[in-house]
Amino acid sequence: MAASAQHVGPTSEEADPPECNRTEPNNDPGTSESESERLEEDAEEEEEPPGPKIRETPQDIQLEAIANTVALHPSRDVLVCGDVDGDVYAFSYSCTDGENRELWSSGHHLKSCRQVRISADGLKLYSVSRDKAVHLLDMERGQLVSRIRGAHGAPINSLLLVDENMLATGDDGGTLKVWDMRKGTAIMDMKNHEDYISDITVDQNKRILLTASGDGTMGVFNLKRRRFELLSEYQSGDLTSVAVMKRGKKVVCGSSEGTVYIFNWNGFGATSDRFALKAESVDCIAPITENIMCTASMDGYIRAINLLPNRVIGCIGQHVGEPVEEIAKSWDSRFLVSCAHDQLIKFWDISGLPKLSVDEYRKRKKKGGRMKSLTKKALGDNDFFSGLVEETEKKEEEEEQEEGDDSDSDSGSD
């Protein structure tokens, strides 16, 4: 085996003064060749560079303007958002670091895009706008297929896909329209609300359409008979969102006052219960299971709520200090996606939510105590601090169990 090259230093008084990191030249050709061979062998033995980082959730997506709305593909890791400039973007998302990709963008709307929805087969995209138009786009390429200009007399605020051929739209003046997209004509055109329609949903049988309105009422419409049924009693503040829960037995409405109003099915005239959150508002609701839903607020927090017993389970995440416009669940129920005024689309891990159970009794909560963090990113992106939060919460839970509590009130919570 060839000897390794040696460092040769100055050996006489005539030698140059020592310098930092100085190496004398080696004129021995045999030694030079052996050194080169050794370096090549070492390079081959070096480990391969580490692959891309795999994250628990995809990276945030930075937008050029505030997104009003976000919708997720029914079978792929793809989302679509619409912004205040009227632009619509499609992105693919991934937990592999740096793998989020913009697929296409569309600028066909003349004013702010209010809502986007993807068809159940994932092939069509519908969007509505402040420009009063309904657009149908090809989901794969983002190309405009058809549009209904002047679909409403006022800016359109809400959109629901009832089935593959029927969609419902609500505008700022309180008018609801139901469209047969095969003909491009409205089969229902009704104005029963005094203010904007904020949200629309439908029962599993596609028979009853429910609307939430800024006038503080929930509207009930019969799709089969194509007629208006009734308005609920007036609630405090605007009704901002509506969803069906408990296997169709309950309907929940969020409000601008931070209260969730609960209706029995077929008891739409008056609420059966209400649940006041310590939140500035309940602007949007995303059902996760039959009992658990996520809500988003102007205060930037995304909360997980259990329905009956009514409990705030904890905090899913937040856009710090920025109002959240919309939240949506991914096709595999792994992520909750949110868009807010910080011009970010964020992803939250909700895969553990369906496994949570909520006790019938309420534990005593310390005054001024913060919500329980349900994800590592819930109260900040720093893993170190999130670990401290988890330890603190565990200690607080142990103290609560020691104290005990016989109170079972359903009054306000965080």
Side-chain angles (χ1 to χ4, degrees):
M1 183 174 177
S4 60
Q6 296 180 353
H7 175 73
V8 180
T11 55
S12 68
E13 295 179 358
E14 297 178 359
D16 293 335
E19 296 180 6
C20 292
N21 299 325
R22 174 168 176 159
T23 304
E24 293 295 324
N26 191 330
N27 297 323
D28 185 349
T31 305
S32 179
E33 288 177 6
S34 63
E35 175 72 10
S36 177
E37 291 173 0
R38 186 178 68 81
L39 292 174
E40 289 178 1
E41 290 175 1
D42 290 346
E44 291 176 358
E45 292 175 359
E46 285 183 2
E47 294 182 2
E48 294 182 2
K53 178 183 176 183
I54 304 300
R55 307 164 56 94
E56 290 190 358
T57 59
Q59 286 178 285
D60 298 348
I61 297 175
Q62 178 71 57
L63 304 174
E64 296 179 2
I66 295 171
N68 291 320
T69 177
V70 62
L72 279 82
H73 195 280
S75 58
R76 293 163 50 196
D77 292 342
V78 172
L79 65 83
V80 177
C81 63
D83 68 22
V84 295
D85 293 334
D87 296 322
V88 177
Y89 294 89
F91 294 91
S92 63
Y93 58 88
S94 172
C95 287
T96 303
D97 212 18
E99 286 298 309
N100 291 345
R101 295 283 184 269
E102 181 181 326
L103 303 178
W104 52 259
S105 64
S106 167
H108 294 292
H109 281 298
L110 303 177
K111 296 182 180 179
S112 175
C113 178
R114 296 280 185 82
Q115 281 205 315
V116 293
R117 293 292 181 263
I118 303 172
S119 62
D121 59 11
L123 300 178
K124 302 174 184 177
L125 173 72
Y126 293 92
S127 63
V128 295
S129 167
R130 191 168 176 268
D131 64 11
K132 307 175 187 177
V134 178
H135 286 185
L136 167 61
L137 286 78
D138 174 73
M139 183 59 203
E140 286 298 316
R141 296 170 293 173
Q143 293 182 344
L144 183 66
V145 176
S146 65
R147 63 157 61 98
I148 304 174
R149 289 189 177 94
H152 281 251
I156 305 174
N157 191 60
S158 52
L159 168 67
L160 171 75
L161 303 189
V162 178
D163 59 29
E164 64 272 18
N165 298 314
M166 189 183 301
L167 62 87
T169 53
D171 68 26
D172 285 355
T175 296
L176 170 75
K177 290 190 178 185
V178 179
W179 302 85
D180 183 342
M181 294 307 293
R182 292 168 296 188
K183 302 175 182 178
T185 57
I187 59 174
M188 290 176 65
D189 183 350
M190 300 180 176
K191 188 181 186 312
N192 300 97
H193 288 292
E194 299 170 1
D195 208 336
Y196 69 97
I197 295 176
S198 58
D199 198 12
I200 311 172
T201 193
V202 69
D203 70 321
Q204 189 173 4
N205 296 324
K206 317 291 186 185
R207 296 184 61 184
I208 301 297
L209 201 68
L210 303 171
T211 56
S213 173
D215 64 12
T217 66
M218 180 178 71
V220 184
F221 300 83
N222 191 312
L223 280 177
K224 296 297 181 183
R225 298 182 179 179
R226 301 184 183 180
R227 72 183 188 189
F228 165 72
E229 295 286 347
L230 67 124
L231 292 179
S232 73
E233 62 184 6
Y234 287 90
Q235 311 301 330
S236 176
D238 301 7
L239 293 189
T240 54
S241 48
V242 59
V244 179
M245 300 286 291
K246 290 284 188 180
R247 296 179 176 84
K249 296 178 181 178
K250 299 288 182 179
V251 176
V252 293
C253 288
S255 75
S256 59
E257 303 295 317
T259 299
V260 175
Y261 294 98
I262 305 170
F263 297 84
N264 289 325
W265 193 261
N266 291 331
F268 299 127
T271 57
S272 63
D273 200 359
R274 63 188 63 192
F275 181 30
L277 311 182
K278 288 181 180 177
E280 288 186 26
S281 60
V282 180
D283 290 330
C284 40
I285 294 174
I288 307 301
T289 68
E290 293 299 330
N291 304 319
I292 296 174
M293 59 187 178
C294 289
T295 65
S297 169
M298 286 186 65
D299 59 21
Y301 283 97
I302 301 169
R303 297 165 170 84
I305 311 292
N306 189 85
L307 185 66
L308 302 173
N310 301 332
R311 301 283 187 270
V312 174
I313 303 173
C315 178
I316 294 295
Q318 64 171 319
H319 292 256
V320 181
E322 299 288 348
V324 180
E325 286 291 342
E326 192 163 28
I327 53 177
K329 184 175 66 170
S330 65
W331 66 273
D332 55 3
S333 300
R334 184 180 176 188
F335 304 120
L336 188 77
V337 180
S338 58
C339 60
H341 286 205
D342 54 10
Q343 300 182 24
L344 292 175
I345 294 177
K346 289 178 172 282
F347 299 81
W348 314 98
D349 182 3
I350 58 168
S351 57
L353 270 187
K355 304 171 188 174
L356 295 178
S357 60
V358 177
D359 293 329
E360 289 288 338
Y361 71 93
R362 181 188 299 277
K363 294 178 181 178
R364 179 178 299 161
K365 203 162 190 183
K366 289 187 176 181
K367 188 175 181 180
R370 71 164 112 193
M371 283 185 292
K372 181 179 179 181
S373 172
L374 298 180
T375 65
K376 287 187 177 181
K377 299 196 303 179
L379 299 173
D381 291 332
N382 190 309
D383 288 340
F384 173 76
F385 289 107
S386 63
L388 292 181
V389 170
E390 290 169 2
E391 290 181 7
T392 303
E393 288 169 349
K394 185 176 180 182
K395 184 176 180 182
E396 289 178 353
E397 286 179 2
E398 291 173 354
E399 291 175 355
E400 288 171 353
Q401 290 174 0
E402 291 175 1
E403 292 175 2
D405 187 11
D406 57 359
S407 171
D408 193 28
S409 169
D410 273 348
S411 58
S413 180
D414 282 347

